[in-house]
Amino acid sequence: MSADAITFGYLDDQTKRMIRRALLKAVAIPGYQVPFAGREMPLPYGWGTGGIQVTASIIGRDDVLKVIDQGADDTTNAVSIRRFFRRVTGVAATEKTAEATLIQTRHRIPETPLTTGQILIYQVPIPEPLRSMEPRETETRKMHALADYGVMHVKLYEDIARHGRIATAYDYPVRVNGRHVMAPSPIPKFDNPKMHNAPFLQLFGAGREKRLYAIPPYTSVVSLDFEDHPFEVQRWDRVCDLCGAGDSYLDEVVTDDTGGRLFVCSDSEYCTTRRDAGHRGPAADSTAAGALGATLSAVARDRTEDRA
Amino acid sequence: MTAACAATRDPQAVPATAAAPLLAVEGLGKWYGPRLGCRDVSFTLHPGEVLGVVGESGSGKTTLLGCLSGGLTPTTGRVAYHSEAWGPADVHALPEGRRRLLMRTEWGFVRQNPRDGLRLGVSAGANIGERPMAVGARHYGHIRARALDWLSRVEIDPARLDDRPASFSGGMQQRLQIARVLVNGPRLVFMDEPTGGLDVSVQARLLDLLRDLVARLGLSAVIVTHDLAVARLLAHRLMVMKDGRVVEEGLTDQVLDDPHHPYTQLLVSSVLQA
Amino acid sequence: MYVAVKGGEAAIDAAHRQMAAARRGDPAVPPLTVAQIRAQMGFAVARVMAEGALYDPDLAALALKQAWGDVAEAIFLLRAYRTTLPRLAASEPVDTAHMVVRRRVSAAFKDLPGGQVLGPTFDYTHRLLDFALAAEGQASEAAPAAPDDGRAPDAPMPRVADILGGEGLIEPETAPADEATAPVPDLTRDPLTYPADRATRLQALARGDEGFLLSLAYSTQRGHGGTHPFAGEIRVGEVAVEIVPEDLGFPVVIGDITVCECQMINQFTGSRTAPPQFTRGYGLTLGYNERKAMAMALVDRALRHRELDEAATAPAQDEEFVLSHADVVEASGFVQHLKLPHYVDFQAELDLVRRLRRAAAEGVSHDAPEGAPEDAPHNTSAETTP
């Protein structure tokens, strides 16, 4: 099958219309999971088919697309999805968060604040936040309909009783617009506050589970907690070893087999931009950091040439 | 018989209309296709009153309890409940959201098998805390203190607060279920064979506890049991069921000491012989 | 070392080139043709069509070739291709009573109108490796001629269920009144929601993974939701597919497809509304997939507990469990997505476990397990960075 034989965005117009209708409904009822007739995509379920279908349904020829996985543009699955869209749409791709009109993401929200007009599209593996307490969908849909959410706090209570703190580190449940409890997808809870009253549109696609949901701009998104155990995000007592950022989510990179570690920004674009602007982290001059930085630059160069 | 009530009830739970019945049941019947569950059941239950429903298995007791508590939809008749929050209401005409809310505020249901009424995967504290959290409690320390208080009220060692009920004995599980149901101060509790499946010595202790709690909280209750000893100890009034119908009803002592219907006589005498 | 952590486009390209080379194998061996696969790997082709939900033996054979014989991967290829196809029309129901039958067996009757026709089958073969097959094939040989089964080609062959139905012994197969006029639901156009009607369930089962359905069907036979089945009839052959073009207003045949149909007959003791009679479990597959059709029929019957007022206690009777987990493309994708990087989430967990261990060591947690080491920082070399 040649690339020419594929329609723009892979999906036919009927399918796109069906998905856009579902998205409109999702925007109208923030946090509510809208069932949609998901299609089989040429990438496997669990690898972003929900996000891909959302992106494919709303992308236009003038859009500029950024794809990240674990915060980075250069992870294999992000590369694969970006390639897919270049192949089926030919639209411009970017790594610059600020330049992108559409950002498809798995597991992170970029560190650079998004602004009005940008759309963040999340890939969602399990859209149902109640599932761990109640596996039956017939029951969970009823619980959502009745806003019957007591069990969510049972789970948090149990965390504190067992561990002395809420032991949910990612996919931390939120209440959207004061109504629906929603799974933010497996982003670290570090990113949860970025969803609240955000100026940009957030769309969520779960392909295998065939559900879409959304957070319109300027919608309240509150992480569930207790008065005496308020929600808090991860903090590091260190900064990024490469760029020195103290406000970003850090990935731990094992540098040798004797306990050597570097902590670097998970958002590779944020880190690169900071380093280009002259920011230096505490280990910026180490051999390990040099090698890591060189690899990142080489990958970025390859991709620039690929685009050229 | 309502004299014991109200004195120790939650102060905010002042009965709106003390004289009005809490539950009024008229012509209740339930068929499973051509098979009869129960029929022609009518009674009223006043605040602070405990009604015992006795009969052998298959007599329609559990079906009746299901219809009363809204879990089953009756084929005929109606169940009117006088809600503290919303006034008089037809239980089966209530939207499901309201019925669920009732079940975690004004009502409670104690199941025969505590495993059906507990969350076995979370701690005793979380089990007791679930109902308060479901209606908005959001202070971990307060919820925990309340759970601790209730553990001691049902005579479970407070040190077991963070243990999962799966590791509890049958009697402890049943007491935990009772704490979980009573923590929100319900006005009306349905109990399905609350002592069934327990050893005799454990049963006796649980019965004492239940009698004490019911009296102190001024609870109204409908208790289904096949055990006349349970009925005698807990119930003010009795209904005797056979083949889906009520064959005799009256004050507990009256029914047990001077049974009129031959079936009741048989029940009572078989207990005496045993 | 970092290349492994932060994979790049070059790595992906190299991996795909390696896969292409592995798939082709020894260049001294002539490549398989799609025609060879279609003709000589018929059961694999049939399975790919059935679970790929697309009747096209050539594309199924191509998918098998491209997938290096990985059936689940080939099914995935066909499904993804299916997404790009326009939907031109909905066919009339196929009429299996007018099938051109190649195989037809009934375990319920010794003989019946139209007779038992074994047709092509592995049944009753002795499973001994045939080394003669390894020796053949260099020169093209004449294929063994298919023997004449001695039937008149147009001998009537009524379906066993129809024979029983004439006596009222088996439940009639009619659409419920509210569905009779409504269009048949389409699982690929409407998302699966619960409770699902039988038409939707059958569609999900027809696309479902053969191995999963086989195990579930087996479990019903071993007592997990027993349905006391008899293989009323299994028939394999070709049926005509008809559509009604809008401008014509009458049905026209657009082609023939091979299908395999299984009607299981199950004991039924009657309910409050129905006298005792036999009930049905139904299985139908695109292509010759007999094992799948039989398994599907057993699972279909197990899932009908609601309408037949049976107690649901077994996994095979649990609609959400069965239908949510039957699709091989969904299952394969989600299980294998664990290969994708999860290091942001893992980092979050790592951070949490370290904090909890630290708290436990400092005795902060009120529930430090008995015997927790007092010198906790052991084994946490991760805490020390250069």
Side-chain angles (χ1 to χ4, degrees):
Chain A
M1 185 167 48
S2 75
D4 307 336
I6 303 172
T7 49
F8 180 84
Y10 195 76
L11 299 172
D12 61 287
D13 286 341
Q14 249 183 332
T15 302
K16 287 182 191 165
R17 274 197 292 272
M18 176 271 294
I19 293 176
R20 288 178 201 144
R21 276 195 298 271
L23 287 173
L24 286 175
K25 182 167 180 179
V27 168
I29 316 171
Y32 169 74
Q33 299 165 52
V34 182
F36 81 112
R39 303 289 196 255
E40 270 96 1
M41 299 305 282
L43 282 78
Y45 283 122
W47 301 50
T49 54
I52 292 171
Q53 287 181 77
V54 171
T55 301
S57 301
I58 63 172
I59 196 167
R61 295 188 193 278
D62 298 334
D63 273 311
V64 179
L65 179 68
K66 172 181 166 82
V67 182
I68 52 174
D69 186 340
Q70 315 293 304
D73 299 85
D74 61 344
T75 38
T76 41
N77 202 43
V79 169
S80 165
I81 292 171
R82 186 167 48 239
R83 275 191 174 184
F84 172 73
F85 278 111
R86 281 177 55 72
R87 186 168 165 190
V88 300
T89 67
V91 304
T94 184
E95 294 187 7
K96 297 284 174 207
T97 301
E99 288 174 7
T101 56
L102 301 180
I103 303 175
Q104 180 168 331
T105 178
R106 175 168 173 265
H107 295 194
R108 276 309 311 275
I109 299 176
E111 307 291 2
T112 306
L114 304 188
T115 58
T116 314
Q118 290 183 299
I119 301 177
L120 186 60
I121 298 153
Y122 298 76
Q123 303 170 198
V124 182
I126 305 273
E128 181 49 75
L130 303 169
R131 181 151 315 156
S132 64
M133 299 301 282
E134 172 52 61
R136 286 190 179 276
E137 178 166 330
T138 32
E139 178 61 18
T140 53
R141 286 187 79 78
K142 222 178 262 180
M143 291 162 80
H144 282 296
L146 301 171
D148 184 1
Y149 291 133
V151 289
M152 293 309 287
H153 275 87
V154 170
K155 188 164 176 261
L156 299 182
Y157 172 98
E158 193 65 5
D159 270 1
I160 302 173
R162 209 147 286 282
H163 306 297
R165 68 181 71 219
I166 294 173
T168 302
Y170 59 90
D171 210 354
Y172 190 106
V174 294
R175 190 149 192 175
V176 178
N177 200 28
R179 176 59 179 82
H180 283 93
V181 167
M182 186 196 92
S185 88
I187 57 172
K189 63 180 176 181
F190 178 88
D191 287 338
N192 275 22
K194 298 177 189 170
M195 311 178 96
H196 176 63
N197 277 340
F200 52 97
L201 173 62
Q202 305 175 68
L203 302 176
F204 299 76
R208 191 177 39 78
E209 301 276 342
K210 298 177 179 58
R211 296 289 182 274
L212 300 174
Y213 49 102
I215 304 174
Y218 304 107
T219 303
S220 96
V221 178
V222 178
S223 303
L224 303 183
D225 63 0
F226 287 103
E227 290 157 16
D228 48 342
H229 283 266
F231 171 79
E232 51 187 25
V233 299
Q234 292 104 328
R235 303 213 178 282
W236 287 261
D237 44 13
R238 61 173 84 239
V239 296
C240 171
D241 279 321
L242 295 183
C243 76
D247 57 354
S248 69
Y249 190 86
L250 299 181
D251 272 345
E252 183 172 337
V253 180
V254 180
T255 55
D256 55 42
D257 52 7
T258 59
R261 299 280 196 281
L262 281 180
F263 284 80
V264 301
C265 296
S266 110
D267 185 337
S268 53
E269 186 264 345
Y270 185 68
C271 196
T272 309
T273 306
R274 281 180 53 85
R275 278 183 290 132
D276 289 350
H279 295 281
R280 319 262 303 150
D285 297 323
S286 72
T287 323
L292 181 56
T295 307
L296 291 177
S297 306
V299 168
R301 202 167 45 244
D302 283 353
R303 222 167 11 255
T304 313
E305 284 161 8
D306 174 51
R307 274 202 297 278
Chain B
M1 86 192 73
T2 57
C5 96
T8 52
R9 271 188 67 79
D10 237 323
Q12 75 259 26
V14 179
T17 45
L22 209 53
L23 207 58
V25 180
E26 277 172 38
L28 201 66
K30 172 73 181 173
W31 277 260
Y32 300 97
R35 193 167 63 76
L36 174 65
C38 63
R39 68 182 296 183
D40 301 334
V41 180
S42 300
F43 67 89
T44 55
L45 185 77
H46 288 269
E49 196 175 20
V50 177
L51 175 71
V53 182
V54 298
E56 58 198 2
S57 61
S59 60
K61 316 184 293 286
T62 298
T63 296
L64 174 63
L65 202 61
C67 290
L68 294 179
S69 59
L72 290 174
T73 306
T75 318
T76 62
R78 68 190 287 268
V79 178
Y81 169 70
H82 197 103
S83 162
E84 205 164 20
W86 315 307
D90 179 339
V91 167
H92 296 280
L94 282 176
E96 177 159 6
R98 283 265 167 119
R99 270 210 300 275
R100 283 190 181 210
L101 190 58
L102 266 189
M103 244 330 157
R104 61 176 59 112
T105 52
E106 300 185 24
W107 288 9
F109 201 118
V110 176
R111 303 190 180 273
Q112 172 171 8
N113 185 346
R115 289 167 173 269
D116 296 336
L118 293 173
R119 278 187 198 277
L120 296 177
V122 298
S123 65
N127 266 284
I128 300 176
E130 178 166 351
R131 284 170 56 127
M133 285 187 271
V135 294
R138 291 292 177 267
H139 191 287
Y140 175 81
H142 296 168
I143 295 163
R144 197 171 166 81
R146 216 158 143 193
L148 262 180
D149 174 45
W150 269 96
L151 272 191
S152 61
R153 289 166 86 162
V154 297
E155 300 165 15
I156 295 176
D157 180 357
R160 307 297 301 268
L161 182 66
D162 293 332
D163 292 348
R164 294 186 181 169
S167 66
F168 288 12
S169 70
M172 279 170 70
Q173 286 182 351
Q174 194 58 295
R175 278 178 278 139
L176 179 62
Q177 190 193 183
I178 288 165
R180 171 181 160 95
V181 167
L182 296 186
V183 60
N184 266 13
R187 312 162 72 207
L188 173 60
V189 179
F190 302 98
M191 301 191 202
D192 187 6
E193 304 276 9
T195 60
L198 298 177
D199 294 343
V200 176
S201 62
V202 179
Q203 274 190 19
R205 185 174 168 201
L206 186 70
L207 271 178
D208 276 347
L209 177 76
L210 268 180
R211 184 172 59 170
D212 189 50
L213 286 172
V214 166
R216 254 199 296 163
L217 301 173
L219 287 180
S220 308
V222 178
I223 300 177
V224 155
T225 178
H226 68 280
D227 186 340
L228 295 187
V230 171
R232 189 187 282 280
L233 209 58
L234 293 178
H236 302 121
R237 270 200 304 146
L238 276 194
M239 278 190 348
V240 183
M241 290 190 74
K242 181 180 188 319
D243 299 333
R245 295 163 194 264
V246 177
V247 296
E248 183 161 357
E249 60 178 311
L251 297 175
T252 301
D253 292 344
Q254 195 182 343
V255 170
L256 293 183
D257 295 341
D258 181 21
H260 285 199
H261 192 276
Y263 177 71
T264 317
Q265 290 166 359
L266 188 71
L267 270 185
V268 172
S269 67
S270 64
V271 169
L272 291 178
Q273 280 157 14
Chain C
M1 176 182 289
Y2 301 116
V3 178
V5 178
K6 300 260 183 189
E9 310 205 11
I12 294 178
D13 286 337
H16 293 171
R17 279 196 303 274
Q18 287 186 30
M19 187 66 233
R23 189 189 62 70
R24 176 58 183 87
D26 182 354
V29 176
L32 274 171
T33 67
V34 168
Q36 283 171 338
I37 296 171
R38 175 183 169 158
Q40 297 173 43
M41 291 289 204
F43 280 124
V45 168
R47 181 166 178 186
V48 169
M49 293 195 302
E51 293 176 37
L54 183 67
Y55 193 92
D56 190 323
D58 289 314
L59 288 181
L62 171 63
L64 277 164
K65 177 175 178 173
Q66 185 179 332
W68 204 17
D70 181 337
V71 172
E73 183 67 24
I75 291 165
F76 182 13
L77 285 168
L78 222 54
R79 288 270 191 95
Y81 176 69
R82 196 181 187 282
T83 295
T84 65
L85 301 177
R87 170 151 309 224
L88 301 175
S91 78
E92 297 290 290
V94 294
D95 183 1
T96 54
H98 289 95
M99 177 187 280
V100 179
V101 170
R102 276 194 277 153
R103 167 169 166 78
R104 185 270 199 119
V105 291
S106 169
F109 294 103
K110 183 171 164 60
D111 199 6
L112 65 169
Q116 307 262 15
V117 180
L118 274 186
T121 179
F122 289 127
D123 296 350
Y124 315 112
T125 62
H126 297 155
R127 269 62 171 202
L128 302 170
L129 278 176
D130 181 357
F131 294 101
L133 286 176
E136 74 171 11
Q138 297 308 322
S140 69
E141 302 163 22
D148 183 0
D149 60 15
R151 277 183 299 135
D154 50 358
M157 202 174 274
R159 290 178 297 201
V160 169
D162 297 341
I163 298 170
L164 283 172
E167 252 188 279
L169 288 173
I170 194 164
E171 54 170 348
E173 201 75 280
T174 48
D178 52 332
E179 287 174 24
T181 51
V184 177
D186 183 346
L187 181 63
T188 67
R189 287 298 180 268
D190 303 299
L192 185 58
T193 51
Y194 302 105
D197 58 22
R198 190 172 177 214
T200 305
R201 288 201 303 260
L202 286 170
Q203 290 173 36
L205 296 178
R207 291 156 55 99
D209 179 54
E210 177 177 318
F212 180 70
L213 294 186
L214 182 66
S215 298
L216 282 173
Y218 178 45
S219 73
T220 68
Q221 289 179 286
R222 289 192 66 259
H224 295 272
T227 52
H228 309 286
F230 298 93
E233 180 173 349
I234 297 159
R235 52 170 64 200
V236 181
E238 281 66 46
V239 293
V241 177
E242 295 177 328
I243 62 166
V244 180
E246 266 179 38
D247 41 355
L248 289 185
F250 56 85
V252 295
V253 175
I254 57 169
D256 291 339
I257 61 172
T258 302
V259 297
C260 176
E261 180 186 60
C262 173
Q263 297 247 19
M264 288 285 176
I265 300 174
N266 302 267
Q267 263 182 33
F268 182 54
T269 52
S271 75
R272 62 180 188 261
T273 48
Q277 62 175 181
F278 291 107
T279 57
R280 313 177 192 223
Y282 188 74
L284 182 79
T285 63
L286 294 180
Y288 182 7
N289 290 281
E290 189 167 283
R291 189 188 311 122
K292 160 80 177 276
M294 294 179 74
M296 175 176 168
L298 290 175
V299 176
D300 167 51
R301 177 60 183 77
L303 289 174
R304 296 181 60 204
H305 63 86
R306 243 192 338 255
E307 59 180 298
L308 298 171
D309 241 349
E310 297 168 331
T313 51
Q317 295 171 299
D318 185 333
E319 174 179 281
E320 283 200 35
F321 180 80
V322 172
L323 301 187
S324 297
H325 303 119
D327 192 275
V328 71
V329 180
E330 291 173 3
S332 165
F334 199 49
V335 166
Q336 297 200 66
H337 106 285
L338 294 173
K339 292 183 284 194
L340 290 181
H342 281 81
Y343 46 77
V344 165
D345 300 344
F346 185 70
Q347 192 65 47
E349 294 275 273
L350 201 58
D351 174 65
L352 182 69
V353 171
R354 281 186 186 139
R355 277 171 204 268
L356 293 176
R357 286 176 59 85
R358 208 176 302 136
E362 291 161 3
V364 170
S365 170
H366 46 281
D367 263 332
E370 224 171 300
E374 289 153 46
D375 53 335
H378 72 113
N379 273 346
T380 49
S381 58
E383 308 264 280
T384 58
T385 43

